[in-house]
Amino acid sequence: MTGVAPEQARAVPPGGTAAALVFEGPGEMRALCRALDWSATPLGPVEGWPQSLRTVARTLLGSRSPMFLFWGPELVQLYNDAYRPSLGGGGRHPRALGMRGREFWTDIWEVIGPQIEQVMTTGVPTWHEDQYLPIERNGRLEDVWWTYSYSPAYDDDGSVGGTLVICQETTPRVLADQDRERLLAELRVERARLAEVFRQSPSFLAVLRGPDNVFELVNDAYEQAIGRGRAVVGKPLFEALPETRGQGFDEYLRRVRETGEPLVFRDLPVLLERMPGAPLEERFIDITYLPLAESGPAGEPIRDAVIAHGTDVTEQVHVRREVERARDRADRLLALTAALAATGTPGEVAGVVVAQGVAAAGAATGMLALRAPHTGEDGEAEMAILGHSGLGGEIAARYARVPVSAPVPTAASVRTGEAFFLEERPALFAAFPAMPHVWESLGAHALATVPLVVGGEAVGAMSFTFTAPRRFPPEDREFFLAAGRQAAQALERARLAEAEHTARLRAEALQRVTAALAGAQTLADVGRVFSRELTRLIGADTAWVGAVTPDGDAVEALGWSGYAEGEAEGWRRLPLDAGIALTDAVRSGRPQWWPTREALADAYPERAALIRSLPQDGVTVLPIPGAGGQPEGDAVRAVGGIVVGFRTPQRFDADTRAFFLALAQQCAQAMARAGAYQAEQAARAEAEAANRAKSQFLATMSHELRTPLNAIGGYAELLEMGIRGPVTDTQREDLHRIQQSQRHLLGLINEVLNYARLETGTVRYELEDVPVRETVAAAESLVAPQARSREVQLEVAECPSDLAVRADPEKLRQILVNLLSNAVKFTGARGRVEVSCAREEATVRVVVRDTGIGIPADKLEAIFDPFVQVRSDLTRTHEGTGLGLAISRDLARGMAGELTAESTTGSGSAFTLTLPAA
């Protein structure tokens, strides 16, 4: 209400104002109330207050308990000195005094507003324990917990005039759990007031007194924890809860009474009969036993009672344990993943899966089996144990390989693609009645078998047995299934890795066999090398290679390996009609695959005794196809045969067969090469003889031609000198032309002679470190007159003074003179020829570039052939033999260098000489 009616105001006693009387006494809040201008508040001056408000105000200010008053419709605030610390610093005190509640408590009004409204409208008090009310104080928003009551404060007319708040901040206790002693003190001094709080506490509470632990008081939560309908107050512990005998609770209570020290337990298990006649149920509690100290007649402390305070945490424990089990399963799956990542073979995968599965599941035995082809050529697929633990030698040997149709768990799981979770022995015997001896021997009472699925197909299964009945809840089943998926993925990775490794080894073996056969020059070499490599590189124990004789009547041995001395002597020549596996394969052109010795003996019974006496067990017989023939498919004419033997049974799968057929193809190619080699050698000898004769002819003719040409030149010089008499100017001009033609013809013959020397390999190289700058300058000086006469600009770029090559100085100069002469010769008047040099890592490049006629792209490489010029017709305008570039490139290559050309028709050419740097 805002103010009061005049008729309700009481007269102010003589001797003081109303405010002075209401707020009389010591304390900060009384002083602030006396100083406050209450007429400026919705309550108006104190003289107008109703007597009930004055009484509540005097009571509140005089109380040492934290108290707060909301009065009137505006809920104007008053509070005492005990409450003042709860407002903290930051200006909230004394600003709160006289303010409207809604305006002051803006941070928590959504919570306390409805609570106050309930009291103001209904007059029903409320109680709030450990209420979380974060408020702004001390300059920041603080987390604060309160235990408080809202009670109606009645006006003079009996209506609810305000709400009285009696509160206690419980932040320290909530945060640090350190207010249990305060709770005990409050129980002693305010037992009656807190009885309701005790009863409504969400945690269970009980007071037990005396050596018999008689229940003195329990709350609703305690009754709910032990089970509804059990009256325990006034009864000793073991009478009220007889099932707790032997669980240690009487000892805990005795220790607390005797020592006066509290006991705290977390997740303490207790077996309770929570419903009449029901089986014992395991519950878990967080409980604290606190001594309840009281004073005796002489003031001495008496510890006769104990408060049991706690919470039923059964659900939390179950959830936490399930989380822990899930985390444990996840950790084990992660550990399995990590362990499987380090595996490289299916056997290693099986070892890891079995070991980790047994440890994770607590199983007695573990086993992993894979689906595998039958050992014979045909037959039902089998289940082969790849790894096991705890099976025992006899059982492991007996079930090492069984048909997929066998009535065993792994085979059944592969057939159906389903998992089996059998929790008790009767179910085990019923599902697999053919294996009672196994279950008895292993002491098995439960079984978990999971298929290993790859690409939608079960490729194997893993199985575990347990020596006691075992429940498999959904989460455990999912664990086994997840482990099965990981195992299947790891097996597939290992299989692919193993296949890749095998393929790589076979490819390397093929390469090594190819390399070894590359040096075989005769059929005998092929047989000897190939049979040796088969036993050395691919793991065969014996190998025999033979070729069909030229008359086509027999197969004749070319070589063998792996046989004892004299063992293969009888097979040097085998008639094609001998009726044995080898000759049949050669005649038919089809390979034969015999996984065991017995299979081969069954196919050739008349030779069974001989076959069984041989050292090999698994055998393959391969025809060697002739040119264009293939060993599979339609029969082809074979040029020979190969017999490969192993001392152990073999499985010739598709990849293995393809590998051996590739080997047979290699042998065929090697035999073809060996046959062609001799023809090639004969042809080469004939060609080399012809080439030597040509070179010798050129050398002889060049030598014979130079003698008369030199004589022509000498006589022409004598005539020009006037030895034979006076020479006219016209005669001198003719003699000059004769000498010019003689020198030109002599140059051509020298080129032919040089080329002949290169062809016959008689050129010698004297290699040394040659300065590039000096050599380029020497060549340039020799060509400069020719360039001037043709009006060609000859430019030499600056070469580093320390740039040198490893070369023969004379040969290098000859190459540069040839390149420069050619460039000048094919560059028109006012053209340009440039020479540049540079080092590139371990080589030096010298480039001669011109602006001449250029070379067509289709003739760029042909210019290095002997006797070739760009213009080879009768109308060509440039003289020469066409040997200069051929000789230059041969000289460059003879010094470990190279000569290359680039050109654009009509724009010029660039010739690059590359030589090793000094």
Side-chain angles (χ1 to χ4, degrees), residues 63 97 126 268 273 320 340 371 374 383 410 570 588 632 650 738 742 813 857 907 910-911 917:
S63 174
L97 186 65
T126 63
L268 182 67
E273 184 184 294
R320 185 171 63 252
L340 288 174
R371 185 186 184 112
H374 192 269
M383 295 297 298
T410 53
S588 67
E632 283 281 23
Q650 299 294 304
I738 290 171
Q742 180 267 345
R813 185 163 50 251
S907 299
F911 288 82

Side-chain angles (χ1 to χ4, degrees), residues 680-802:
E680 179 187 353
Q681 288 298 99
R684 179 178 298 174
E686 183 179 350
E688 289 177 352
N691 193 46
R692 284 194 299 271
K694 177 200 71 174
S695 299
Q696 184 64 36
F697 170 76
L698 290 174
T700 302
M701 290 300 297
S702 297
H703 179 74
E704 293 298 328
L705 290 172
R706 282 202 303 174
T707 301
L709 283 174
N710 286 331
I712 292 171
Y715 284 118
E717 289 180 4
L718 290 175
L719 290 174
E720 187 178 14
M721 293 169 59
I723 299 297
R724 304 297 183 186
V727 179
T728 66
D729 291 340
T730 303
Q731 290 172 334
R732 191 178 305 280
E733 184 178 348
D734 290 339
L735 288 172
H736 176 70
R737 290 175 178 172
I738 290 171
Q739 288 177 319
Q740 189 178 27
S741 296
Q742 180 267 345
R743 285 194 296 271
H744 174 67
L745 185 55
L746 187 60
L748 296 177
I749 292 171
N750 284 335
E751 284 188 353
V752 172
L753 182 58
N754 287 336
Y755 180 73
R757 288 174 178 171
L758 287 170
E759 283 283 289
T760 57
T762 58
V763 176
R764 297 179 60 84
Y765 296 90
E766 301 293 338
L767 300 181
E768 59 183 76
D769 292 347
V770 182
V772 176
R773 178 196 285 181
E774 297 177 7
T775 308
V776 171
E780 185 266 344
S781 65
L782 293 174
V783 182
Q786 178 186 355
R788 285 194 297 271
S789 67
R790 298 181 65 86
E791 300 182 24
V792 173
Q793 182 181 354
L794 180 58
E795 299 178 357
V796 180
E798 183 66 23
C799 289
S801 59
D802 60 344

Side-chain angles (χ1 to χ4, degrees), residues 113-169:
Q115 296 172 350
I116 296 170
E117 177 67 19
Q118 176 183 339
V119 175
M120 295 292 291
T121 56
T122 67
V124 177
T126 63
W127 172 259
H128 308 277
E129 183 175 7
D130 292 340
Q131 177 72 49
Y132 175 60
L133 294 173
I135 64 172
E136 183 179 347
R137 64 182 184 184
N138 301 318
R140 64 181 184 276
L141 185 66
E142 293 187 6
D143 290 333
V144 185
W145 285 264
W146 307 86
T147 294
Y148 57 92
S149 66
Y150 283 158
S151 302
Y154 295 99
D155 204 342
D156 291 349
D157 61 1
S159 64
V160 177
T163 298
L164 180 63
V165 184
I166 302 175
C167 62
Q168 183 69 40
E169 183 177 347

Side-chain angles (χ1 to χ4, degrees), residues 610-696:
L610 174 61
I611 292 172
R612 293 190 177 97
S613 69
L614 297 177
Q616 64 263 25
D617 198 342
V619 178
T620 179
V621 183
L622 307 170
I624 302 174
Q630 298 295 330
E632 283 281 23
D634 295 336
V636 297
R637 182 176 179 278
V639 298
I642 304 168
V643 181
V644 185
F646 299 87
R647 300 190 188 278
T648 57
Q650 299 294 304
R651 289 192 183 89
F652 296 108
D653 55 30
D655 291 339
T656 303
R657 297 186 180 196
F659 173 61
F660 279 112
L661 294 175
L663 287 171
Q665 195 69 36
Q666 278 193 329
C667 184
Q669 294 169 359
M671 291 173 64
R673 286 196 302 270
Y677 178 76
Q678 294 177 345
E680 179 187 353
Q681 288 298 99
R684 179 178 298 174
E686 183 179 350
E688 289 177 352
N691 193 46
R692 284 194 299 271
K694 177 200 71 174
S695 299
Q696 184 64 36

Side-chain angles (χ1 to χ4, degrees), residues 395-437:
I395 294 177
R398 179 173 181 178
Y399 292 94
R401 296 187 73 91
V402 298
V404 171
S405 60
V408 299
T410 53
S413 187
V414 167
R415 290 196 308 271
T416 63
E418 298 178 357
F420 296 95
F421 295 101
L422 306 176
E423 300 179 334
E424 296 179 346
R425 177 169 277 195
L428 194 60
F429 276 74
F432 300 100
M435 301 178 66
H437 57 289

Side-chain angles (χ1 to χ4, degrees), residues 69-203:
L69 178 66
F70 296 98
W71 188 268
E74 302 292 332
L75 300 177
V76 180
Q77 303 174 154
L78 290 87
Y79 56 94
N80 61 5
D81 289 329
Y83 185 83
R84 179 253 175 278
S86 299
L87 294 175
R92 291 177 71 88
H93 168 75
R95 183 167 59 90
L97 186 65
M99 281 191 70
R100 295 178 177 86
R102 178 184 295 275
E103 295 174 354
F104 182 78
W105 297 105
T106 56
D107 41 8
I108 61 173
W109 191 253
E110 289 184 356
V111 178
I112 66 173
Q115 296 172 350
I116 296 170
E117 177 67 19
Q118 176 183 339
V119 175
M120 295 292 291
T121 56
T122 67
V124 177
T126 63
W127 172 259
H128 308 277
E129 183 175 7
D130 292 340
Q131 177 72 49
Y132 175 60
L133 294 173
I135 64 172
E136 183 179 347
R137 64 182 184 184
N138 301 318
R140 64 181 184 276
L141 185 66
E142 293 187 6
D143 290 333
V144 185
W145 285 264
W146 307 86
T147 294
Y148 57 92
S149 66
Y150 283 158
S151 302
Y154 295 99
D155 204 342
D156 291 349
D157 61 1
S159 64
V160 177
T163 298
L164 180 63
V165 184
I166 302 175
C167 62
Q168 183 69 40
E169 183 177 347
T170 59
T171 301
R173 180 182 62 78
V174 172
L175 295 178
D177 199 21
Q178 295 176 350
D179 63 345
R180 289 190 179 88
E181 292 297 329
R182 183 188 60 78
L183 177 60
L184 293 176
E186 290 181 355
L187 285 174
R188 289 195 297 269
V189 299
E190 298 183 359
R191 189 183 187 104
R193 184 175 65 84
L194 295 178
E196 186 64 17
V197 177
F198 181 90
R199 187 185 67 80
Q200 295 183 1
S201 172
S203 300

Side-chain angles (χ1 to χ4, degrees), residues 61 69 126 159 239 321 362 432 454 513 515 532 536 564 586 605 613 646 708 753 756 816 848 853 887:
L61 293 169
L69 178 66
T126 63
S159 64
E239 180 183 341
R321 289 185 175 180
F432 300 100
V454 174
V513 170
R532 180 194 66 205
R536 187 170 71 89
V586 172
S613 69
F646 299 87
L753 182 58
L816 293 177
V848 177
I853 61 175
I887 293 172

